[in-house]
Amino acid sequence: MLLTAAFMAFATLLSKVLGLVRDSMLTAYFGSGMESDAFLTASTIPTQLFDVVIGGVISATFIPVFNDIMTKKSRDEAMKFVNKFITLVLLASVVISVFGIIFASPLVTLQAPSYDTQKHLMAQQLTAIMFPMIIFTGLAFSCVGLLQSFGEYNIPSIISLVSNAAIILYYVLFGKKFGVYGLAVTMVIAWSLQLIIQIPFIKRFGIKYHPDFNFKDASIKQAALLAGPMLVSTWVQPLYSLVNQRLASNVASAVTYIQQSSRLYIIVTGVFSFVVTNLIFPKLSQAVAANDKKEANTLIVTSLKAIILVILPIMAVFMTAAEPIANVMYGHGKMSAEGVRSIGYLLKLYSIGMLALAVNEVLSKAFFSMQDSKPPMRNSIVSMLVNIALAYLLYHYMSTPGLALATVGGSVTNALLNYICMAKKHPGMFTRSDKLSIVKIVICGIVMYAVMYISFTFASGRTDTSSVFGSIIAAGGSGAFSLIIYLVACAVLKVDVITDLIRNFKGGKKV
């Protein structure tokens, strides 16, 4: 698992880095004006609608049901479920795409009601071009769930790497020639690659797809019952983005600032939460199917401690050095210094919610693996209401920074409610030792933040952080130094996640 996690982390990190390069190239080529606003709005609409209708639950629904059938019935029955499930996903994706192309104009109005006629028309055309990419996305998600259920994690972890590389290649070769419309077509091609590269590996497991429209099958009904509450719980992030974008569209360039800062915040957090949740989710589903409660509890608690250990130092770096980080990522080409400062300030506010976002991802997947999707659904509804209320309230007083804080408020509410529900439903899951370990990690995180703040203040006073090189030196140097202090503090306080890893590497003992 350590080797697999290491490869997944490396592949995911590289993919996210390319994703950030891709985003920075958008602002470098098109600035923060009409073209970038229109493209970011248009690229968000298909994925948000897809997530709201079906996309957010494809692999989360598939994995527990598939593993349940494999454990309790047979491989043949599981393969029949695969055919029915993929057929359903394909049908739903095509219907959503056709709907999106036909109603592209009102969807743009819903997302950005304050756009002028020219910007609205461009966003409408780009939206219609990009909607078919969700067909490939739906099928790719299904293949990811299938491969992970068979223990293949490496290929699913590189699919985003391939699609991001394809988009970057477009910028380099054709960006100036075909502009933002060519970029939209490239997005569709890039998303199709996520499906294509998985097909040979699907075949290696002896899987052959045959369309099956028998949606009245008991396994499909089981997946549908699980999917309903799951869908509601996955609406949180898309609705956060929708509310933020509607309000931000009233201010010039604010859509670009909000989108780029929130994407960077989600991408960085997602690198590690993706690795943890995608690694444990199939194993957790298998443990639940086998009624191995001890193994299931161990996986959940260990995952939480690991994600807290990793995310806290990242939070410390981003809360301290957000503007230099934004300068490194977006301070190129047509992006102005004022734009970089705006993105940096929003990123600093967003980073406050990094830990809550990651913890919530682990807890939600834990509930899904137990086929208990109602608690995260209820908690998501509450957090959505909190986020929307805070967005309208804080936007009135703080403009776009208020939208970032509203998102943080929603994420924190969601994570706390999910933790409370998990602790109540499984009272013996979090032992006194586990809670003490988490407290130790938090103390080490606070120490790192203090060291990071002091060292970055010292470095930025002696380096020109308005330049990309100066930003890298100040943020990178202080970040590396404070990370060493963090790891030393974890060792001194004997944080069990660290000591267990050291013991494993030294003696190969099972802990």
Side-chain angles (χ1 to χ4, degrees), residues 373-389:
S373 52
K374 290 183 179 179
M377 177 193 71
R378 292 191 292 265
N379 298 337
S380 295
I381 292 172
V382 174
S383 67
M384 277 191 289
L385 294 174
V386 169
N387 176 257
I388 292 169

Side-chain angles (χ1 to χ4, degrees), residues 197-363:
I197 63 172
Q198 294 185 81
I199 293 175
F201 298 91
I202 292 289
K203 290 182 177 179
R204 287 185 185 180
F205 290 104
I207 299 163
K208 295 180 180 179
Y209 169 66
H210 303 287
D212 189 341
F213 293 89
N214 180 20
F215 302 143
K216 293 182 179 180
D217 182 77
S219 58
I220 293 296
K221 290 181 180 178
Q222 181 184 356
L225 289 173
L226 189 62
M230 274 189 188
L231 269 176
V232 177
S233 60
T234 60
W235 289 349
V236 176
Q237 199 62 49
L239 285 178
Y240 287 176
S241 300
L242 175 61
V243 171
N244 286 355
Q245 189 144 319
R246 279 183 62 87
L247 293 172
S249 66
N250 294 304
V251 181
S253 300
V255 170
T256 298
Y257 301 154
I258 282 284
Q259 285 274 19
Q260 299 293 52
S261 57
S262 65
R263 280 187 181 186
L264 185 54
Y265 143 75
I266 291 170
I267 284 172
V268 171
T269 310
V271 167
F272 301 99
S273 58
F274 171 87
V275 171
V276 171
T277 57
N278 281 273
L279 184 60
I280 70 155
F281 188 40
K283 297 181 182 296
L284 192 52
S285 298
Q286 291 162 9
V288 171
N291 201 29
D292 189 346
K293 294 182 180 179
K294 183 178 179 181
E295 176 67 9
N297 289 353
T298 299
L299 282 167
I300 294 170
V301 174
T302 303
S303 300
L304 277 174
K305 289 193 287 187
I307 204 70
I308 294 171
L309 181 73
V310 171
I311 294 297
L312 277 178
I314 297 172
M315 279 182 64
V317 172
F318 272 73
M319 288 172 66
T320 308
E323 188 172 324
I325 292 171
N327 190 34
V328 172
M329 294 310 308
Y330 304 117
H332 316 283
K334 295 183 179 180
M335 177 59 73
S336 64
E338 181 184 354
V340 169
R341 283 193 296 271
S342 297
I343 293 173
Y345 184 59
L346 290 170
L347 180 59
K348 179 179 291 188
L349 298 178
Y350 273 121
S351 64
I352 300 170
M354 280 183 170
L355 183 60
L357 184 66
V359 166
N360 189 59
E361 183 71 14
V362 173
L363 291 175

